[in-house]
Amino acid sequence: MRQEPDNTLVELKQYRESIDNLDAALVYLLAERFKVTKRVGYFKSKNELPPADKAREEKQIQRLRTLARSAQLDPDFTEKLLGFITREVINHHERARR
Amino acid sequence: MRQEPDNTLVELKQYRESIDNLDAALVYLLAERFKVTKRVGYFKSKNELPPADKAREEKQIQRLRTLARSAQLDPDFTEKLLGFITREVINHHERARR
């Protein structure tokens, strides 16, 4: 180690506090996003629309890849993450139909 | 369909505008999170600390599950999502070491 253990711990602790703050913000934003997609699910079910919409998903992917690039975030990772969230949303929609 | 197609489109469009706003916020927050984890990666590499830290991850998981519950978000989904992001972070750290 090139630094004193105490300084190392302090610096790492500060980074982790920032990560924890950002994670809390992410959780609350995601919760809000699921509130909206839940409404979409209910709406689609009521109007007999299919849970998935490929054209909409393709638009979302391209938009998020552009946003990711402007934020210096890896567009492939961002696309994979959206896919992960979307699959959860579709599971919710399918459960709501049963 | 129980509604007029036009009203259906308007309502769905409004939900999707909210989802798009929330997604943009998520992308920018994630970009900020990766800026911090990149600094952590550099810091760990410099101080010869291992990329993964199981004790820290376990604490993060429990904290996020608690936050998820308070936000009415599925704790299992939140834990899986954190795992997805953490794996990407560890990939970054490992690439930074090469």
Side-chain angles (χ1 to χ4, degrees):
Chain A
M1 299 232 181
R2 288 173 212 163
Q3 285 187 284
E4 290 298 307
D6 278 356
N7 288 342
T8 304
L9 288 178
V10 167
E11 190 170 338
L12 194 55
K13 190 171 172 282
Q14 283 170 345
Y15 291 140
R16 287 176 167 177
E17 281 167 359
S18 291
I19 293 168
D20 286 346
N21 286 342
L22 293 165
D23 279 348
L26 285 167
V27 163
Y28 285 104
L29 267 182
L30 272 171
E32 193 56 35
R33 191 188 194 278
F34 274 99
K35 278 173 73 173
V36 183
T37 53
K38 200 173 167 182
R39 262 180 259 140
V40 170
Y42 174 72
F43 178 82
K44 283 182 171 179
S45 175
K46 194 181 69 175
N47 291 283
E48 287 161 34
L49 295 166
D53 179 339
K54 287 288 159 202
R56 158 72 177 162
E57 279 167 40
E58 192 46 47
K59 266 192 203 165
Q60 272 181 297
I61 288 168
Q62 292 315 318
R63 179 176 175 274
L64 283 187
R65 291 186 67 94
T66 304
L67 284 172
R69 274 186 219 100
S70 84
Q72 271 94 50
L73 191 65
D74 180 346
D76 292 337
F77 166 75
T78 309
E79 180 175 344
K80 276 188 281 175
L81 192 76
L82 177 72
F84 188 88
I85 296 170
T86 305
R87 276 191 298 283
E88 181 74 8
V89 169
I90 291 171
N91 287 344
H92 280 194
H93 290 185
E94 282 169 354
R95 264 179 263 147
R97 255 158 217 265
R98 277 177 215 143
Chain B
M1 299 230 183
R2 288 174 212 164
Q3 284 185 285
E4 290 298 305
D6 278 357
N7 288 341
T8 303
L9 288 178
V10 166
E11 190 169 339
L12 195 55
K13 190 171 172 284
Q14 284 171 342
Y15 292 139
R16 286 175 168 177
E17 282 167 358
S18 291
I19 293 169
D20 286 347
N21 286 343
L22 293 165
D23 279 348
L26 284 167
V27 164
Y28 286 104
L29 266 182
L30 272 171
E32 194 55 34
R33 192 189 195 276
F34 274 99
K35 280 173 71 174
V36 183
T37 53
K38 201 173 167 181
R39 261 180 260 141
V40 170
Y42 173 72
F43 177 82
K44 283 182 171 179
S45 175
K46 195 181 69 173
N47 290 284
E48 289 162 32
L49 295 166
D53 180 339
K54 287 288 160 202
R56 158 72 176 162
E57 280 166 41
E58 192 45 48
K59 265 192 203 165
Q60 272 180 296
I61 289 168
Q62 293 314 321
R63 179 177 175 271
L64 284 187
R65 291 185 67 94
T66 303
L67 284 172
R69 273 186 219 102
S70 84
Q72 270 95 49
L73 191 64
D74 179 345
D76 292 337
F77 166 75
T78 308
E79 179 174 345
K80 278 188 280 174
L81 193 77
L82 177 73
F84 188 87
I85 297 170
T86 305
R87 276 191 299 281
E88 181 74 7
V89 168
I90 290 171
N91 288 343
H92 279 195
H93 290 186
E94 281 169 356
R95 265 179 263 148
R97 252 157 220 268
R98 278 176 213 145

